[in-house]
Amino acid sequence: MKKNYVVAGAILLSVNMLAQEQPKVDSLKNYYEIQEVNIFGKDKNEGPIHKVDVQLIQDFNKTNVVDAVNLLPGVSITQMGARNEGSILVRGFNSLRTPVFFDGIPIYTPYDGNFDLSRFTTFDIHSISVEKSLVSVQYGPNTMGGAVNIVSRKPVKALDIDGQSGVGFADGTGVNSYFTALNIGTRQDKYYIMGSASLLKVDNYLISRKFDGTPLQPSLERVNSESMDVRLSAKFGYTPNKTDEYSFSIISQNADKDIAPNALKAGNSNWRNYPTYDKRSMYLKTRTLVANKTFLNFTGYYDTYYNKMKQYDDDQYTLLNKNSSFSSVYDDYSLGGILNLTTEAIKNNVITLSVNNKFDSHKEHNEEILANTST
């Protein structure tokens, strides 16, 4: 399956260790400019764009992006589908019409455009912005409902270290989750480096106490609702002068999640889990001053999605002998580039030429059958 798009146009423990050297700019905004999508056209446009930053995320102890976005007005969250994927709705539009971007790079699986946003943890991100008004074509296609952009963290000090570790409590059942994360980086005159590692383990989640137990769901702890997310990331940046910036980032996400079955009817239950839910990303972002008040911005990225979902014969999650059982493998990748040429050389005007191209490849097969080599 090929898709090509071309768009042109306008108990919580925390440790923070920071060096005494102060950043050479007054605001953190300039450090994150290369990763944000900036839209011009209104003198003041604070209404339709809402942002949650790292401090607010930590204050409310939001460990994944879905829960963090729920802090913003006009955004609804849901766990949807037979794959139990975390998703968001902006003004009623799901991710097919309100795409999610990571540092301006679109996130979705090539098969059907959906993905599990709950697998994106918040330990190495700086902010999440939600745009609800008319969205610029600089984002790319399918932005009918708006756009969500996750901005990753960058170092702002000569020595920038942030660590978190904690546990989660479920009412009446004690500890049911724990997490640990560490970010280490350095910013020098002409370069910066950031490395991050995190682990989030959830044993289960609780259902309402008003629910009457069934043979398939006898307790408050939701059956088969465990998950574990491991995330590693690294960022390398070069800043030769005050205007130009070049960065290269690598991200590795590994997840293992269970899917809770129907709690009422055994005949309609799907005994499923996701033993493998992996995503790898590499991307290059550049910002170059090519003329007076004229910048050339380029983003190139390569994403891989390798997912394995199993459906078992029964609630023992062991056998796959029935005709309805399977071990489905998705082996997908996306390759794309975004080029923006923006000038403010003409007074009172911002002119942008934008080109966006993306190639998606999807391959699937049952694990017991040889892989399909066609795309």
Side-chain angles (χ1 to χ4, degrees):
M1 174 170 60
K2 297 183 179 180
K3 299 179 182 177
N4 282 275
Y5 302 105
V6 179
V7 181
I11 333 180
L12 176 63
L13 306 176
S14 297
V15 180
N16 288 279
M17 299 171 55
L18 303 178
Q20 295 299 316
E21 180 183 352
Q22 298 296 320
K24 297 183 179 182
V25 295
D26 296 331
S27 171
L28 295 181
K29 178 180 178 182
N30 292 338
Y31 285 126
Y32 291 94
E33 187 173 6
I34 193 175
Q35 294 160 238
E36 296 182 341
V37 177
N38 297 308
I39 310 301
F40 300 91
K42 296 182 180 179
D43 181 52
K44 193 172 184 180
N45 190 22
E46 296 178 353
I49 301 178
H50 301 276
K51 179 182 292 187
V52 55
D53 61 15
V54 61
Q55 188 60 55
L56 192 62
I57 292 172
Q58 290 182 359
D59 288 345
F60 283 87
N61 194 27
K62 302 299 184 180
T63 56
N64 68 68
V65 170
V66 172
D67 291 340
V69 171
N70 197 35
L71 296 172
L72 297 175
V75 181
S76 303
I77 67 173
T78 181
Q79 294 289 133
M80 59 183 295
R83 296 181 295 193
N84 190 30
E85 294 176 322
S87 184
I88 61 174
L89 301 172
V90 178
R91 296 186 298 132
F93 291 96
N94 63 17
S95 59
L96 296 179
R97 293 295 178 264
T98 307
V100 179
F101 300 85
F102 192 93
D103 288 343
I105 297 168
I107 302 171
Y108 63 81
T109 53
Y111 170 65
D112 57 6
N114 292 302
F115 59 97
D116 190 353
L117 193 56
S118 297
R119 306 276 66 83
F120 286 78
T121 54
T122 59
F123 305 111
D124 63 344
I125 69 174
H126 170 260
S127 63
I128 308 170
S129 63
V130 178
E131 187 168 346
K132 305 173 187 175
S133 63
L134 296 175
V135 177
S136 171
V137 294
Q138 293 184 45
Y139 276 108
N142 302 327
T143 56
M144 179 185 298
V148 178
N149 190 31
I150 305 168
V151 176
S152 62
R153 181 177 296 200
K154 293 200 295 186
V156 296
K157 302 281 187 177
L159 179 61
D160 198 338
I161 302 179
D162 174 83
Q164 300 179 54
S165 202
V167 296
F169 292 88
D171 182 24
T173 62
V175 175
N176 73 333
S177 66
Y178 61 86
F179 63 87
T180 185
L182 181 63
N183 302 297
I184 302 178
T186 181
R187 175 173 284 273
Q188 303 298 326
D189 288 340
K190 291 190 176 183
Y191 71 90
Y192 59 83
I193 302 174
M194 171 66 84
S196 302
S198 65
L199 168 68
L200 173 62
K201 178 73 163 58
V202 178
D203 293 332
N204 55 67
Y205 65 89
L206 296 188
I207 59 178
S208 172
R209 291 184 177 275
K210 296 182 180 181
F211 179 79
D212 294 328
T214 70
L216 298 179
Q217 182 59 53
S219 68
L220 295 179
E221 299 177 11
R222 191 67 170 101
V223 173
N224 204 54
S225 60
E226 183 178 350
S227 66
M228 182 172 67
D229 295 276
V230 179
R231 182 178 172 92
L232 303 173
S233 63
K235 185 187 300 289
F236 310 90
Y238 175 57
T239 53
N241 50 54
K242 294 182 179 180
T243 59
D244 298 355
E245 182 175 353
Y246 308 88
S247 70
F248 179 73
S249 301
I250 303 174
I251 301 173
S252 174
Q253 296 179 209
N254 294 75
D256 179 350
K257 71 169 186 175
D258 294 337
I259 302 176
N262 188 321
L264 299 176
K265 298 180 180 179
N268 294 332
S269 292
N270 292 318
W271 318 108
R272 294 181 175 181
N273 64 18
Y274 261 109
T276 305
Y277 199 103
D278 297 345
K279 183 178 186 295
R280 307 282 186 271
S281 299
M282 296 185 296
Y283 58 93
L284 172 71
K285 298 185 73 69
T286 71
R287 173 181 169 86
T288 306
L289 182 67
V290 295
N292 181 38
K293 295 183 179 180
T294 303
F295 286 89
L296 181 66
N297 295 272
F298 173 75
T299 299
Y301 57 92
Y302 175 68
D303 287 349
T304 65
Y305 307 83
Y306 185 82
N307 301 333
K308 184 186 299 183
M309 182 174 70
K310 293 179 178 289
Q311 177 161 309
Y312 297 89
D313 294 351
D314 51 38
D315 58 356
Q316 299 304 306
Y317 296 92
T318 303
L319 302 177
L320 300 102
N321 295 328
K322 293 182 178 180
N323 291 334
S324 58
S325 300
F326 56 78
S327 179
S328 175
V329 176
Y330 283 2
D331 189 2
D332 300 356
Y333 72 87
S334 296
L335 181 65
I338 306 169
L339 185 67
N340 290 321
L341 180 64
T342 302
T343 181
E344 299 180 47
I346 302 176
K347 187 177 181 180
N348 298 326
N349 288 273
V350 178
I351 302 173
T352 298
L353 173 66
S354 179
V355 178
N356 189 323
N357 189 280
K358 189 172 191 287
F359 172 79
D360 291 332
S361 170
H362 169 69
K363 298 178 182 178
E364 62 177 272
H365 68 283
N366 196 312
E367 194 172 25
E368 288 74 27
I369 302 175
L370 292 177
N372 181 5
T373 58
S374 63
T375 295

